[in-house]
Amino acid sequence: MRGPTGGQISDSSRQQATSDFMRPQSPLANVVGFGHGMKWTDGRPTGEQAVVVFVTQKVPESMLPERDVVPQQMDDGTPTDVIAVGHVSAQRHQQQRGQRGVPAQEGSYRGDGNVSEQLAQLSQPMLEELRELGSLEPQTLKRRMRPAPSGISVGNVRVTAGTLGSVVYDFLPGATTDPPGPGLGTPSAFYILSNNHVLADCNRAPQGSAIVQPGVFDGGQDPADRIATLDRFITVQFAPQMPLERQNNIVDAALGKVEFQDATREQYFSGTPRAWRRKSNVAVGDQVKKTGRTTNISFGRIIATDATIDVNYGTAGTARFKDQILTTNISAGGDSGSLVTSPDNVALGLLFAGSTVVTVVNHIENVRALLRVEIAEQLA
């Protein structure tokens, strides 16, 4: 099901979708985002490129006022489709949870029938192939490990728990190419990579604050289980402090400075990222996998790229993210920060949010560029 190349919405369609579907004062009913995807018919992808509009739940067109109906096509002729994704939330572990991936206070969500069920089924062929590999013990990724492999429980002492995505390092001194070529220097520092809301408590944790492995919810204590200290993060802009239409969020990412011997790039049960992929080469239909604190190793497919979507961060507010990847559901609360890769371990993105239907992922190219770190020496 690999999609067409060029996984981006045209500028005119993006402007129209933002102004018509997510207008500041009166967005379309239930709309939480849009992206580049495929048209679906009778619960199956047709392969035709489309602007996919994400809604919390589908409502029969006959029950909607005309102003809330998504047009059959954009002004430039690109067809549209509507997919119910439920309530999309940042996926740090919640102390009280309801259905998988959604905080208990938000209630449950059963999807929209055919399309949601088909999205879940897209990952089944990979799961069948991997059954013979066995399964992980549920508690394995919630315990203390040194050196700490990627994919296990971690978090700032101010939060519950998320996932250690990978070990990264500063761009090599003297590097003149992007990515750096061989023999161009020695990394000056090493970091654990995860989300802002996992390592920096949604912008609120001070620089140098303790990060423990496992996370506090899983029994981690400072200083006994300290693995890193908060070094830097990309600020997330939240509403109501900043209106959604003025936000420019692209990544939810942070770094904790770590000693070389205390953590490793090896993904638990999954191998080391051997390269990273530019966002222009990430396509609808691509297979993906991740290892995370809560759901261990899981597999899925990309259903949308170039996505704009509103994410609920609870008490911190709501944040609108642009230029995101949406996959079938491969995560739950506590998986935030997981590195998402191709089946052959090429890094694609950083998981940070989701629902019972989809998972939302930052492009690794954006994470790498904004934090000025390297995750793998090769570009794939």
Side-chain angles (χ1 to χ4, degrees):
M1 186 195 138
R2 184 174 175 91
T5 57
Q8 286 198 333
I9 302 172
S10 69
D11 289 341
S12 60
S13 286
R14 185 182 296 105
Q15 292 172 4
Q16 181 186 353
T18 302
S19 62
D20 291 358
F21 306 159
M22 304 181 76
R23 45 185 175 254
Q25 302 305 321
S26 54
L28 266 62
N30 302 320
V31 171
V32 293
F34 61 89
H36 168 86
M38 289 185 186
K39 184 80 173 176
W40 289 66
T41 300
D42 297 325
R44 296 185 178 278
T46 65
E48 181 182 15
Q49 296 186 64
V51 172
V52 181
V53 182
F54 308 116
V55 296
T56 54
Q57 60 181 341
K58 274 191 172 181
V59 176
E61 189 172 318
S62 60
M63 297 178 62
L64 289 171
E66 185 176 351
R67 65 173 295 281
D68 285 336
V69 176
V70 174
Q72 293 295 312
Q73 63 180 31
M74 307 299 288
D75 290 346
D76 65 1
T78 305
T80 64
D81 205 355
V82 178
I83 295 180
V85 298
H87 297 277
V88 178
S89 303
Q91 289 191 316
R92 183 173 75 194
H93 181 77
Q94 303 289 331
Q95 295 194 39
Q96 293 183 338
R97 299 196 67 82
Q99 206 170 355
R100 184 181 182 214
V102 180
Q105 65 269 23
E106 292 184 5
S108 62
Y109 171 73
R110 297 185 179 276
D112 67 327
N114 283 343
V115 172
S116 298
E117 292 169 7
Q118 289 291 332
L119 291 178
Q121 292 170 10
L122 289 178
S123 58
Q124 288 306 308
M126 290 189 71
L127 297 178
E128 293 293 334
E129 293 172 11
L130 288 152
R131 273 183 180 173
E132 61 188 52
L133 296 178
S135 60
L136 301 179
E137 289 293 329
Q139 301 303 315
T140 298
L141 304 185
K142 300 176 186 178
R143 62 182 173 86
R144 188 184 195 275
M145 297 188 216
R146 295 293 186 276
S150 301
I152 63 173
S153 172
V154 77
N156 192 285
V157 290
R158 299 163 58 107
V159 307
T160 51
T163 295
L164 194 164
S166 190
V167 173
V168 297
Y169 52 91
D170 289 322
F171 282 130
L172 300 180
T176 57
T177 59
D178 184 14
L184 292 176
T186 301
S188 58
F190 292 89
Y191 311 91
I192 57 171
L193 170 67
S194 189
N195 295 143
N196 174 323
H197 73 272
V198 172
L199 299 186
D201 190 26
C202 298
N203 311 328
R204 294 175 290 211
Q207 186 179 27
S209 59
I211 295 165
V212 293
Q213 191 292 305
V216 171
F217 187 85
D218 298 322
Q221 297 182 357
D222 184 49
D225 299 307
R226 184 184 299 188
I227 190 173
T229 53
L230 180 62
D231 187 86
R232 59 188 186 268
F233 57 87
I234 304 303
T235 300
V236 176
Q237 299 168 327
F238 295 105
Q241 296 92 333
M242 178 174 288
L244 290 171
E245 67 273 14
R246 291 174 52 195
Q247 295 179 10
N248 193 32
N249 296 309
I250 299 175
V251 303
D252 179 339
L255 300 175
K257 196 166 187 178
V258 66
E259 294 298 322
F260 179 78
Q261 69 274 10
D262 285 340
T264 172
R265 286 192 293 177
E266 181 79 15
Q267 304 286 307
Y268 198 94
F269 201 70
S270 188
T272 303
R274 63 177 184 83
W276 61 276
R277 182 167 296 164
R278 292 197 188 280
K279 58 186 179 181
S280 58
N281 293 326
V282 175
V284 172
D286 284 351
Q287 295 179 336
V288 296
K289 66 176 180 177
K290 78 96 187 61
T291 299
R293 168 213 177 262
T294 305
T295 59
N296 301 328
I297 190 164
S298 53
F299 307 87
R301 288 184 185 270
I302 294 174
I303 61 170
T305 57
D306 193 18
T308 295
I309 192 159
D310 291 344
V311 178
N312 176 16
Y313 279 79
T315 58
T318 300
R320 177 168 294 176
F321 282 81
K322 303 173 183 177
D323 196 19
Q324 302 301 297
I325 304 167
L326 263 67
T327 74
T328 52
N329 182 23
I330 58 173
S331 61
D335 286 330
S336 276
S338 301
L339 185 69
V340 176
T341 73
S342 65
D344 60 345
N345 292 330
V346 175
L348 305 178
L350 190 67
L351 188 160
F352 80 105
S355 70
T356 57
V357 180
V358 296
T359 292
V360 189
V361 181
N362 306 148
H363 279 285
I364 198 64
E365 180 179 358
N366 291 337
V367 172
R368 175 183 173 275
L370 290 172
L371 287 174
R372 297 296 297 169
V373 289
E374 193 59 87
I375 189 167
E377 293 71 38
Q378 301 296 321
L379 178 64

